[in-house]
Amino acid sequence: MPAFLETERLVLRPFTEADAEHLLALDNDPDVMRFINGGRATTLETIKARSLPRLLHVHPCFGTRGYWAAEEKIGGVFLGWFEFRPLADHSPAVVELGYRLHKAAWGNGYATEGARALIHRGFTDLGVERVTANTMAVNAGSRRVMEKAGLSFVRSFTEDWPEAIEGSEHGDVEYELTRAEWEQRGRDK
């Protein structure tokens, strides 16, 4: 399948069933999953039954998917994934931005580079009006990526999670960027 998006250093491509092993490795790193599920292991069966169907889903309003496998442009190393998913299948107006990268990819600017490219694509080609992103309040790394990608803090909130994980007592945070704000800032700045 052709790439959805390329940046200076990344290729974002559609997931395939063959990515199950990549996802298993990513989702079994306790540091990667610390703010997702407390670092608990994931089984291959869970990846195939729950994760892959979500990652392979085509959103009718986009005519494409909302999750993208991220690879290094040179060498093709699987780095993780990016989410740029409409919150409603019938409308591209509001999308959720997300990312999950291998620990080896952290600190290299990949998350910011991919997020900025998706935001640009969303506002220029996909009819997006608002990009939103959420994380745990204590997830300083993810919050910094959101800020570097141009999103601004909106609010703190708490949700009832089925299983509390370390740090969840501090709640979650929401960030956003509207098309008008993005255009006013000079797009990619």
Side-chain angles (χ1 to χ4, degrees):
M1 296 179 100
F4 174 71
L5 185 63
E6 291 189 27
T7 69
E8 182 180 333
R9 301 178 300 155
L10 299 172
V11 172
L12 302 186
R13 62 158 177 84
F15 274 99
T16 69
E17 300 277 341
D19 286 309
E21 293 295 332
H22 290 306
L23 294 166
L24 183 65
L26 181 67
D27 286 6
N28 276 291
D29 182 328
D31 291 331
V32 170
M33 300 302 287
R34 177 178 168 210
F35 297 112
I36 310 295
N37 68 8
R40 290 188 303 278
T42 303
T43 65
L44 184 59
E45 293 73 30
T46 299
I47 296 290
K48 289 180 177 179
R50 293 188 189 154
S51 300
L52 270 173
R54 178 174 45 96
L55 300 174
L56 297 172
H57 176 72
V58 173
H59 298 274
C61 64
F62 274 0
T64 190
R65 298 189 181 151
Y67 292 88
W68 309 100
E71 297 177 339
E72 283 183 331
K73 195 176 219 177
I74 298 173
V77 173
F78 179 83
L79 299 173
W81 56 256
F82 285 87
E83 170 190 13
F84 200 71
R85 175 184 59 86
L87 294 184
D89 263 353
H90 65 279
S91 172
V94 181
V95 298
E96 181 172 19
L97 172 69
Y99 30 82
R100 185 177 302 169
L101 300 177
H102 278 290
K103 194 167 35 180
W106 295 358
N108 294 306
Y110 289 128
T112 300
E113 184 176 326
R116 285 179 177 167
L118 285 165
I119 289 166
H120 182 272
R121 179 85 182 261
F123 287 144
T124 58
D125 297 339
L126 300 175
V128 173
E129 294 297 326
R130 179 176 172 253
V131 176
T132 184
N134 302 304
T135 191
M136 288 178 62
V138 296
N139 189 346
S142 188
R143 291 180 74 166
R144 183 70 185 126
V145 169
M146 292 173 194
E147 291 165 359
K148 286 181 172 182
L151 283 75
S152 299
F153 175 79
V154 175
R155 67 185 176 115
S156 296
F157 64 98
T158 56
E159 290 187 355
D160 290 328
W161 295 99
E163 296 180 40
I165 61 174
E166 185 180 342
S168 63
E169 68 275 12
H170 300 286
D172 294 295
V173 290
E174 178 182 359
Y175 283 72
E176 77 171 3
L177 177 62
T178 65
R179 177 194 297 269
E181 291 166 337
W182 179 75
E183 289 173 345
Q184 182 178 10
R185 292 179 192 163
R187 296 180 174 218
D188 296 320
K189 293 180 183 173

